[in-house]
Amino acid sequence: MSRWPGKLLDASSPEGRTDCEIELRDDALVALLPEGREVALPLPTLALQRQGYSRDILAFHTAGTQQPWITTRDPAILAALKQHPRGSGVLGQEREQRWKSWVNYAVRPIATCVVLALVGTWFVLGPLVGLALAAIPTSVDVKLGEVSFASSLEQLGGTEVHDARVVEPVRQLLEPLVAQVPKEHGYQFELHVVRSDMVNAFALPGGKLVVTTGLLREAVSAESVTGVLAHEVAHVTARHSMRSLLKQVGLWALMAAVFGDVSGASAIILQQAASLSSLSFSRDMELEADRNGLEMLRTAGQDPQGLRVFLQSLSAQEKDLTLPAFLSTHPMTEERISTLESLADAQGPVTTPRPVTVDFKALQAALPE
C-alpha cells in the first residue's frame, strides 16, 4: 500500500503540526504518526483544498470542521484518489472549489475592473457631454439638420407637400411656439409637411420640423397638433439630438470640443449625420421635452392638454398592436400621459387663453390622399 510524506495539523500536537506518512485505506485517509498514533479522516466526508502561494499544498480535512488537517505536496495522492472507488467525490468537490477560487482570484477582479471602468466612463462622459455641448455653437446643429434633411425625407418614403391649404394652417400653429425662442440662440425653424401614411413628427437639429400627413389625418384637433409641435420644438431647444450624437462620437471628439478644437469636433459630428435617423431619445429627454413643451403651450395661451390627448389617441392604437411611428420614436406613452396630466393639474388653467383660429376640418379635407 502506497504512502506519501505529509504533515498533520492538529491543535493537540505540541507545535500544532507533526510530520507523518499518509495512507489511503478503503474508508479513510489516515495520517500515521511517529509514535504509532493514527488520525483518520473518513472518505465520505473528506474535503480537499489547494493551499500555498503556488497552490501546490494538498490539504485534506473533514468537511464542516476546522481540524485536523492532513497535508502533502505529493501529487501522486491525487492519482490514488482517482483510482479509489470512494475518491472521485473528493476530487469532484476539489474541482468545484478550484473553479470558485479561480473566479475569486481571476474572474471577479477582472469583472470588477470592467464594471469600474464602465462606471468611471459614465461619470466622466456625462460631464464631458455637457461641456462639449456648451462649447459647440448652435450653428453646428443647423448644419447637421441641413445635411441630414434629405435622407430623413427619403426614409419617410414621401414627398413634401406645398399646398398652402395644408402647410399654412400648421405654420400658424407653430409660430406662437417658435416666437418664444430668442433669436440669438441661432435656431432656424422651418416647417415641412411630408406626404406619408406614417403617423409621425420629428425635429432635426437646428430647427427643421417634419410633420406627416398621416399625423395630421389622425389628430383629433388643432390643439393636438400644436401639442406635438411644442414637444418637437422643445427637443430642438434642449439640443437632444446633438446631445445623443455627442455620446456616440467618443471621448476624442468630446475632449477636442472641451479644449477648444470646436471645428475638429464639429467635423466629426457632421460625419455622423447619417445616424440621426436611428437615434431615439432617452426617457429623461422625452420627459424634458414634454415639460418644456407644456410650458411653451401655456406661454402661448394654448390648451396644454393637446399633447396628452394626442398621445392617448395613439396609445389605443399601440394596444391594438398597430404601433404608429411617432410612438416607436417617442416611447413610454403611458408614463408620459400620466406626467402630462399631473403637470397640467398642478399648473391649473391657462391664465390668458388664446383660442386657435385654424379651421382644422378644412386642413384635413385638403390633405392629399
Side-chain angles (χ1 to χ4, degrees), residues 307-315 326 333 336-337 340:
L307 179 58
R308 177 186 62 80
V309 171
F310 177 78
L311 290 175
Q312 284 177 326
S313 67
L314 293 193
S315 181
F326 186 83
T333 315
R336 292 174 59 200
I337 290 172
L340 287 167

Side-chain angles (χ1 to χ4, degrees), residues 66-313:
Q66 295 299 318
Q67 288 189 339
W69 290 77
I70 299 175
T71 68
T72 181
R73 293 179 182 269
D74 193 336
I77 195 171
L78 296 177
L81 278 168
K82 187 175 181 180
Q83 298 297 324
H84 195 285
R86 298 185 178 181
S88 58
V90 179
L91 296 179
Q93 293 175 10
E94 188 270 337
R95 281 193 295 270
E96 181 180 353
Q97 183 64 36
R98 189 165 28 166
W99 166 255
K100 291 179 179 178
S101 297
W102 184 77
V103 169
N104 285 329
Y105 285 99
V107 176
R108 188 169 295 171
I110 293 172
T112 301
C113 290
V114 170
V115 170
L116 288 175
L118 291 173
V119 171
T121 300
W122 174 260
F123 280 106
V124 170
L125 192 61
L128 275 180
V129 166
L131 291 172
L133 194 67
I136 295 171
T138 54
S139 59
V140 179
D141 298 53
V142 173
K143 183 64 176 176
L144 187 60
E146 292 173 352
V147 171
S148 59
F149 178 63
S151 60
S152 298
L153 291 192
E154 185 178 346
Q155 290 204 356
L156 282 176
T159 57
E160 190 164 356
V161 176
H162 298 286
D163 187 341
R165 296 175 300 166
V166 174
V167 178
E168 287 309 312
V170 181
R171 198 186 311 279
Q172 290 177 37
L173 298 177
L174 176 63
E175 284 175 352
L177 305 174
V178 299
Q180 300 174 42
V181 182
K183 295 290 186 183
E184 57 268 24
H185 286 190
Y187 299 111
Q188 298 178 13
F189 288 99
E190 296 177 5
L191 173 67
H192 299 271
V193 178
V194 176
R195 182 174 181 173
S196 173
D197 290 335
M198 288 187 187
V199 180
N200 205 1
F202 58 87
L204 293 174
K208 289 185 183 292
L209 304 178
V210 177
V211 180
T212 67
T213 54
L215 183 144
L216 296 174
R217 186 172 286 111
E218 290 294 328
V220 297
S221 65
E223 288 79 7
S224 293
V225 176
T226 308
V228 172
L229 292 173
H231 177 88
E232 298 304 330
V233 171
H235 275 311
V236 174
T237 56
R239 306 182 75 183
H240 286 158
S241 293
M242 181 64 75
R243 187 179 293 273
S244 297
L245 276 180
L246 284 171
K247 290 181 179 179
Q248 289 189 176
V249 296
L251 288 175
W252 174 256
L254 293 178
M255 296 293 286
V258 170
F259 290 102
D261 185 11
V262 175
S263 60
S266 300
I268 296 173
I269 292 167
L270 289 173
Q271 290 172 4
Q272 304 297 316
S275 66
L276 268 178
S277 59
S278 63
L279 289 179
S280 59
F281 295 129
S282 69
R283 171 184 178 276
D284 289 342
M285 289 179 180
E286 289 294 348
L287 294 176
E288 181 183 15
D290 285 343
R291 287 193 299 270
N292 293 348
L294 196 67
E295 188 59 35
M296 283 184 183
L297 291 170
R298 295 182 63 83
T299 302
Q302 302 299 312
D303 182 3
Q305 301 290 350
L307 179 58
R308 177 186 62 80
V309 171
F310 177 78
L311 290 175
Q312 284 177 326
S313 67

Side-chain angles (χ1 to χ4, degrees), residues 20-41:
C20 67
E21 289 189 312
I22 304 171
E23 187 175 277
L24 181 60
R25 298 179 182 170
D26 290 341
D27 58 351
L29 187 71
V30 181
L32 307 173
L33 302 173
E35 69 271 21
R37 187 166 63 95
E38 295 183 356
V39 175
L41 303 180

